């Protein structure tokens, strides 16, 4: 079960005109990212991995092109079984690769369950109980499945769906018959959730967001792999991972992360399946994460 301790190709560069002309075809991939801007200094580019486009926009000249190239290189050989989305507020950058493709959630859904509980608590105009504090802490910091089961049933399908509706996570489908690890998620929706956790909004208040992010900074050391790979030492890292093996599509290995403080304000979701082992999946996720963390933190050209 997820959360237990179980264990370019040829690059076809397209110009801005081609990207705009293909806008309708790329809508699904860009659902979780801001619209392309015509503001001076914005750069856009497009490349692909095994037939699927990597699309990035950025207000920092050259960054979109660099990210597309490096993301594509990092996912080479696993492009048909992975997905990715990211945002960076400091450079007004966003990227998406197969961001509307559905994956079994494994334990990354635990952040969604936490968000749904916090929204429910706010709607009831109360604070978390000591029991809820214990359960949420175990669920996020240790990826405890028993705690997750308890909270999944407490919040209920209607509570989970209410939160998804408010969050605009339209591609996320709660798992059947209480199987939270088989919730269908997309990289695009996961980035929507990360954005909610890191900005003022009407869905989650300041207290709720701070609580969720605080738990994500306290994830136990042996579960802090994935999106933190290559993160700058000046950033505060918030992470939640998920891993699950099934008879079809092998190991699902996912990681979502938020990086802020010290001038940083970005987040990413990297999803994968069809991994032969969990270690293979971690390596796939971390190759992409290292490329993104490196490119977003290169010194700004003078």
């Amino acid at each position: 079960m997820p959360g237990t301790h179980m264990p370019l190709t040829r690059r076809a560069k397209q110009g801005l005109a081609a990207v705009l002309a293909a806008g309708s075809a790329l809508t699904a991939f860009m659902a979780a990212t801001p619209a392309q801007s015509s503001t001076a200094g914005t750069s856009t580019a497009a490349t692909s991995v095994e037939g699927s486009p990597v699309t990035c926009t950025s207000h920092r000249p050259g960054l979109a092109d660099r990210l597309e190239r490096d993301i594509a290189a990092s996912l080479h050989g696993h492009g048909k079984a992975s997905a990715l989305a990211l945002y960076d507020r400091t450079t007004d950058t966003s990227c998406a690769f197969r961001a509307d493709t559905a994956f079994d959630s494994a334990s990354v859904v635990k952040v969604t369950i936490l968000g749904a509980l916090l929204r429910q608590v706010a709607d009831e105009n109360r604070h978390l109980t000591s029991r809820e504090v214990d359960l949420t802490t175990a669920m996020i910091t240790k990826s405890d499945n028993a705690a997750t089961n308890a909270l999944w049933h407490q919040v209920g399908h209607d509570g989970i769906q209410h939160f998804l509706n408010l969050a605009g996570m339209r591609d996320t489908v709660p798992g059947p018959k209480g199987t939270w690890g088989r919730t269908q998620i997309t990289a695009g929706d996961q980035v929507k959730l990360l954005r909610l956790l890191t900005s003022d909004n009407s869905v989650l208040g300041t207290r709720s967001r701070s609580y969720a992010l605080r738990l994500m900074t306290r994830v136990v050391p042996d579960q802090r792999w994935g999106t933190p790979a290559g993160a700058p030492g000046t950033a505060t890292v918030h992470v939640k991972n998920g891993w699950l093996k099934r008879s079809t599509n092998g190991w699902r290995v996912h990681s979502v992360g938020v990086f802020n403080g010290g001038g940083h304000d970005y987040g990413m979701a990297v999803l994968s399946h069809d991994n032969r082992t969990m270690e293979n999946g971690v390596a796939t996720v971390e190759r992409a994460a290292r490329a993104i963390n490196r490119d977003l933190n290169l010194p700004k050209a003078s």
Side-chain angles (χ1 to χ4, degrees):
M1 281 297 293
T4 67
H5 291 283
M6 291 169 49
L8 248 181
T9 64
R10 187 177 57 190
R11 178 171 172 270
K13 177 82 178 286
Q14 298 178 351
L16 176 60
V19 173
L20 295 175
S24 59
L26 295 176
T27 298
F29 295 101
M30 299 303 293
T33 65
Q36 292 181 358
S37 169
S38 59
T39 304
T42 298
S43 59
T44 64
T47 190
S48 64
V49 186
E50 297 165 39
S52 296
V54 182
T55 57
C56 296
T57 65
S58 180
H59 275 247
R60 177 175 290 180
L63 181 56
D65 180 71
R66 179 185 294 274
L67 279 165
E68 289 186 351
R69 181 182 68 243
D70 292 346
I71 289 170
S74 71
L75 295 176
H76 176 64
H78 207 76
K80 293 183 179 180
S82 56
L84 177 152
L86 71 94
Y87 69 89
D88 178 27
R89 293 190 179 99
T90 61
T91 58
D92 195 10
T93 296
S94 60
C95 292
F97 171 69
R98 301 179 74 237
D100 64 345
T101 301
F103 290 75
D104 288 335
S105 66
S107 285
V108 294
V109 76
K110 293 173 182 179
V111 182
T112 299
I113 297 170
L114 175 61
L117 172 67
L118 293 172
R119 176 66 198 198
Q120 195 172 74
V121 166
D123 287 342
E124 295 170 356
N125 195 29
R126 65 177 180 84
H127 298 294
L128 290 169
T129 66
S130 59
R131 171 183 175 274
E132 288 167 341
V133 170
D134 289 344
L135 290 174
T136 54
T137 299
M139 177 175 70
I140 299 298
T141 66
K142 301 177 183 177
S143 208
D144 185 86
N145 288 335
T148 306
N149 290 336
L151 290 172
W152 176 265
H153 290 294
Q154 175 181 324
V155 176
H157 181 276
D158 289 348
I160 299 291
Q161 191 60 57
H162 178 59
F163 175 73
L164 294 174
N165 293 343
L166 292 175
M169 297 168 66
R170 297 179 181 86
D171 293 327
T172 300
V173 181
K177 299 180 179 179
T179 53
W180 46 263
R182 290 175 56 193
T183 295
Q184 297 300 287
I185 62 169
T186 66
D189 270 6
Q190 288 299 294
V191 162
K192 286 182 181 179
L193 178 58
L194 298 180
R195 284 181 177 274
L196 277 179
L197 292 176
T198 55
S199 64
D200 292 337
N201 61 83
S202 61
V203 182
L204 293 173
T206 301
R207 184 191 299 269
S208 294
R209 298 195 309 271
S210 296
Y211 181 75
L213 289 173
R214 185 164 65 251
L215 291 182
M216 292 172 71
T217 65
R218 294 170 53 195
V219 168
V220 294
D222 65 353
Q223 294 182 25
R224 297 188 67 80
W225 45 264
T227 51
T234 49
T236 300
V237 177
H238 317 261
V239 64
K240 185 69 194 81
N241 297 323
W243 56 102
L244 168 67
K245 183 181 182 181
R246 296 186 63 196
S247 58
T248 58
N249 294 325
W251 280 90
R252 290 92 165 121
V253 180
H254 314 315
S255 183
V256 299
V258 167
F259 308 83
N260 55 27
H264 308 285
D265 188 0
Y266 66 97
M268 70 178 92
V270 187
L271 313 180
S272 72
H273 61 205
D274 276 345
N275 297 292
R276 185 173 56 84
T277 65
M278 179 178 170
E279 290 74 17
N280 291 153
V282 171
T284 295
V285 170
E286 291 193 340
R287 280 195 302 271
R290 284 194 182 91
I292 293 165
N293 282 315
R294 180 185 65 242
D295 289 354
L296 289 181
N297 292 287
L298 288 172
K300 185 176 180 180
S302 58

